[in-house]
Amino acid sequence: MWFVILCFVIVLIKILFDYSRPINFPPGPRGLPFIGNILDIIRLINETKYYSDTWCRLAEKYGSVVGLRLGLDQPLIIVSGKSAVTEMLNRSEFDGRPSGFLYKYRCGGMQQGILFTDTDVWHSQRRFALKTLKQFGFGKNSMEHILQHDAIALTNIIIELTKDGTVKNIRSIISAAVLSNLWLLIDGTKFDIGMENSNLKEAINIVQDIVKSSNVSGGIINQFPFLRHLFPNLTGFSAFVERQKRINNFFMEVIAKHKWKKINEEGTNFIDVYLQEIQKKNSSHSFFNENQLLYIIKDLFSAGVDTTNSTIGFIIAFLVVHQDVQSKVYDEISRVIDKDIYPSLSDKDRLPYLKAVIAEVSRLANIGPTSIPHRAVKDSTFLGFEIKKNYTLLANFKSIHMDKEHWGDPEIFRPERFINEKGDFINDSWLMPFGLGRRKCLGETLAKNTVFLFVACMLQRLHFMLPSNHPPPCLQGIDGFVIAPPMMDIIAVQRF
């Protein structure tokens, strides 16, 4: 009896302690005992419809650093504004990754892979992944002919599909095309776009479902992990487990097909070389093992499919709404490139307006409106506030991309803001769709090259339109861990 009372008192003291905001804790809504600011966030999301707009609303009220408590999870610190975000992302003490329940479950119960690891695990896996992928052309112009081939194949598939009317699921076609070149590096096999196997298609769909059904705050399971036992379906835990199991099984089957290769044979893809590295290390204490390989592939696959695919989808969405801009892009392409020649990476500087359109869509669509969550790896101070070890931090990129003082009219789609008086494209340091610092997206170059070639090839030969009586698409997109482009039917008319 006394033990039960003691436990109750301890829990009550913890609840009251958590409710009181520590000295130098960043400002934010007061919240309630036990649940913290969960109701505040729900109310703001109901008003704004998007998590990213919720973070911006909090920044407007409380400043560039906002402190939140969400259930039993570690405090969440929202960092907004260019100056604060730049400092946060360049400080090594904030380079960790959160260890909330769902993040760990996704990676087999511990920190594995690249996206959700830190310290020595992250350093070793990231260094090896970059070195190995670059051996096979990752991020280099040597991959141009592969990207160009896929861009042409995608354009031709869309042409064939539109002969029968509208294209209803253009995003799935783009996803396969985007993945094609990355899958060649990872697995060593090249599939024909539109002819990829059903298992690969399912893996793409699962990844997109996971991204769409999650958010950067971690969700209710991170905030109250015990609820997965009480309400596994209501909390979405059952669906999450099923999706993770299916995608993991897919990658385990892929790895199994590569395990026959001997250590002295030359690896021709990332999986082969990683398996050989495991054989070389031959130690249970090594960071290199098959589980790590599984989650690295999963990270590369997820990052490679969704953001690049969404960027291309958003570009099409903006251009079907802004037909005048689409016409300007086509005029520039047709003026610079002969119609019998496909665009190449060497045309980048010759197509400044197309580059400006891509930049403006990246800014306004905010596909990655925040960073992947960071974790403080030690106690520190940040802009005068105390940040304890294991606090979670989010960099709010949308606050930068929509800053009125810098952009003037941030709500307006105006590619000309990236063009100078000479007609040249100008880079703007306030545009940061790939993040900053040591945690910056390692696939930035490949993503930029893919988007440029795919969009240039499609717009050279196709005019995208909405069917008659089709409602205008919502250019704010669909909320999730990343923002997905709106669902819409497309008509693509062949220009020549």
Side-chain angles (χ1 to χ4, degrees), residues 235-251:
T235 57
F237 183 66
S238 294
F240 177 81
V241 169
E242 176 61 22
R243 287 167 180 155
Q244 295 296 332
K245 181 179 179 181
R246 286 161 58 201
I247 195 72
N248 288 350
N249 286 342
F250 170 75
F251 290 125

Side-chain angles (χ1 to χ4, degrees), residues 249-416:
N249 286 342
F250 170 75
F251 290 125
M252 284 190 287
E253 290 175 5
V254 171
I255 292 170
K257 294 176 183 177
H258 288 257
K259 291 177 68 174
W260 59 268
K261 214 155 201 177
K262 296 179 181 179
I263 193 169
N264 58 348
E265 292 185 38
E266 184 179 358
T268 59
N269 56 78
F270 180 78
I271 296 176
D272 285 348
V273 176
Y274 197 100
L275 287 171
Q276 290 172 357
E277 187 71 11
I278 293 173
Q279 290 179 296
K280 290 176 186 176
K281 300 291 184 185
N282 195 25
S283 168
S284 59
H285 301 294
S286 170
F287 291 133
F288 291 82
N289 54 68
E290 285 188 31
N291 279 338
Q292 282 283 9
L293 174 57
L294 165 64
Y295 292 107
I296 288 177
I297 298 171
K298 186 176 179 178
D299 288 344
L300 293 173
F301 189 96
S302 302
V305 168
D306 215 71
T307 51
T308 305
N309 165 48
S310 292
T311 301
I312 296 170
F314 263 114
I315 290 170
I316 293 173
F318 272 88
L319 294 184
V320 297
V321 172
H322 299 275
Q323 288 289 328
D324 58 327
V325 174
Q326 186 175 176
S327 295
K328 289 181 182 178
V329 172
Y330 174 69
D331 289 344
E332 179 182 68
I333 293 173
S334 61
R335 186 177 66 253
V336 170
I337 304 171
D338 189 278
K339 68 177 182 179
D340 296 323
I341 300 174
Y342 285 99
S344 65
L345 292 180
S346 61
D347 295 318
K348 270 188 174 182
D349 292 337
R350 302 169 65 209
L351 299 172
Y353 192 72
L354 173 57
K355 288 175 66 177
V357 168
I358 294 171
E360 180 69 341
V361 170
S362 299
R363 181 192 71 82
L364 203 49
N366 283 293
I367 293 154
T370 68
S371 63
I372 293 175
H374 287 231
R375 176 179 66 88
V377 297
K378 64 180 182 180
D379 292 349
S380 61
T381 58
F382 177 61
L383 299 182
F385 301 110
E386 191 172 350
I387 306 298
K388 295 283 190 181
K389 181 180 179 181
N390 292 328
Y391 278 15
T392 299
L393 299 97
L394 273 183
N396 180 6
F397 296 129
K398 188 168 186 177
S399 68
I400 302 170
H401 294 162
M402 302 301 289
D403 186 293
K404 185 167 287 190
E405 288 189 14
H406 178 75
W407 302 105
D409 53 355
E411 306 289 340
I412 304 300
F413 179 63
R414 188 167 59 83
E416 288 76 12

Side-chain angles (χ1 to χ4, degrees), residues 316-318 320-321 466 470-477 485-488 490:
I316 293 173
F318 272 88
V320 297
V321 172
L466 293 172
H470 191 293
C474 174
L475 295 179
Q476 287 185 288
M487 300 296 292
M488 57 186 176
I490 292 291

